[in-house]
Amino acid sequence: MLSLLVFACFCAVFVTDALPLGPSDTPVNDRPIIGVLTQEVVDEDMLRFGKTYIPASYVKYLESAGCRVMPIRLKQTLVEYENIFKTINGMMFIGGAADLQTSDYARAAKAFFRLAVEANDAGDYFPIWGTCMGFQLLTVLVAGQNLLTNTTAENLALPLNFTDEAPTSRMFEDFSSELMKALSQEDVTGNFHHYGVSEKTFRGNDKLDQFYSILSTNIAVNDVEFVSTIEGRKYPFYGVQWHPEVNRFQWNPNLNFPHSKNAVRVSSLLAEFFVNEARKNMHQFSGPGEEAAALIYNYTPVYVGNISGYEQSYFF
Ligand SMILES: *[C@@H]1O[C@H](CO)[C@@H](O)[C@H](O)[C@H]1NC(C)=O
Ligand SMILES: *[C@@H]1O[C@H](CO)[C@@H](O)[C@H](O)[C@H]1NC(C)=O
Ligand SMILES: *[C@@H]1O[C@H](CO)[C@@H](O)[C@H](O)[C@H]1NC(C)=O
């Protein structure tokens, strides 16, 4: 009885600490945790470190904006994913290589996506961000089919070609007009993909068109115009076909990672934007012990700069 009471008290303190009220009495979670799905290692050189991984660049990108990262393993049950969902404040689908419909990665992403839609419908704000393959996944999850075609832009830094919806978007709300101009003129977005969703296909698919606003497009090497930035019209879901994290956290000299002052700013602001979205979510662990055990701090990244385009990677 006593220990139960103590736990209850401790829990209450924990709750109060995690959820201070903002000036307008809107609850704000200043200790957000973002879930990141691990990915299966496909590169043979990396297999000796583990079967699944998360490149450290994505983790640093998120952490830099004031959140903590929870790695989420593949092949868990739906019940386990539901329990994890109740403890995290947002989710990032990272880049990589996996089948977008049949892989364990796709299955896990689908489960979290469904939970996020249901939560948002019930007034429980839960943001999702997808980068590169994560972006592609966000289109598959909404369209219910894989609409990817050849939109090759491999190792290519580009400016964004903004649509009319970009200036009033949530994603770019905190960008100054100078930075928007830089984004539309300077090569500050790193592209590393062979497939994507063409602008024509995207707008021609009712489900995609109704679900997401297209904020930018780009022209691929094969002259196809592809969608490069999206945000949910109703849901706090965001996707970029390009890689904002490389601007600050990847340095391989053979790869066109944008590192200019404006490129770094773009990367910082987008990370901050997404973490601010996660601050609107109040999910939490049942206690600090459970929380600490789930975080990525329990793992040590490994140097992989000599065997991959990443500098460091976590393995699980
Ligand atoms: C930008 O998009 C417009 C409208 O789709 C297109 O006509 C134009 O060629 C694009 N420009 C670049 C630089 O991609
Ligand atoms: C995609 O298009 C580019 C440019 O035309 C071509 O070089 C490449 O082989 C194509 N890739 C695939 C997978 O079809
Ligand atoms: C890469 O670097 C690590 C750490 O310095 C070293 O142990 C490993 O042998 C290197 N791998 C290759 C393929 O050069």
Side-chain angles (χ1 to χ4, degrees), residues 220-278:
V221 173
N222 56 353
D223 289 334
V224 174
E225 185 174 6
F226 64 93
V227 177
S228 47
T229 310
I230 54 173
E231 76 176 18
R233 295 186 189 278
K234 174 175 162 209
Y235 295 89
F237 300 166
Y238 306 90
V240 285
Q241 178 61 73
W242 46 287
H243 285 265
E245 76 289 350
V246 300
N247 294 12
R248 287 182 294 155
F249 302 110
Q250 284 182 227
W251 294 92
N252 187 317
N254 300 321
L255 299 174
N256 286 313
F257 298 140
H259 295 303
S260 68
K261 184 180 163 191
N262 283 332
V264 168
R265 192 91 193 101
V266 165
S267 173
S268 300
L269 282 179
L270 287 181
E272 285 181 24
F273 165 75
F274 184 59
V275 172
N276 279 334
E277 289 286 274

Side-chain angles (χ1 to χ4, degrees), residues 120-141:
N120 283 296
D121 285 344
D124 173 17
Y125 202 85
F126 189 94
I128 298 180
W129 182 283
T131 291
C132 199
M133 184 184 74
F135 165 100
Q136 298 166 2
L137 199 53
L138 285 176
T139 67
V140 172
L141 288 166

Side-chain angles (χ1 to χ4, degrees), residues 135 139 147-148 151 195-199 201-202 208 225-227:
F135 165 100
T139 67
L147 296 168
L148 300 185
T151 62
Y195 295 93
V197 182
S198 75
E199 196 255 2
T201 300
F202 204 109
L208 288 182
E225 185 174 6
F226 64 93
V227 177

Side-chain angles (χ1 to χ4, degrees), residues 159 161-162 199 217-219 225:
N161 193 359
F162 285 123
E199 196 255 2
T217 64
N218 281 97
I219 306 292
E225 185 174 6

Side-chain angles (χ1 to χ4, degrees), residues 78-88 115:
L78 285 179
V79 171
E80 283 170 315
Y81 287 146
E82 280 167 16
N83 288 332
I84 290 171
F85 183 76
K86 291 176 197 153
T87 67
I88 57 176
L115 290 167

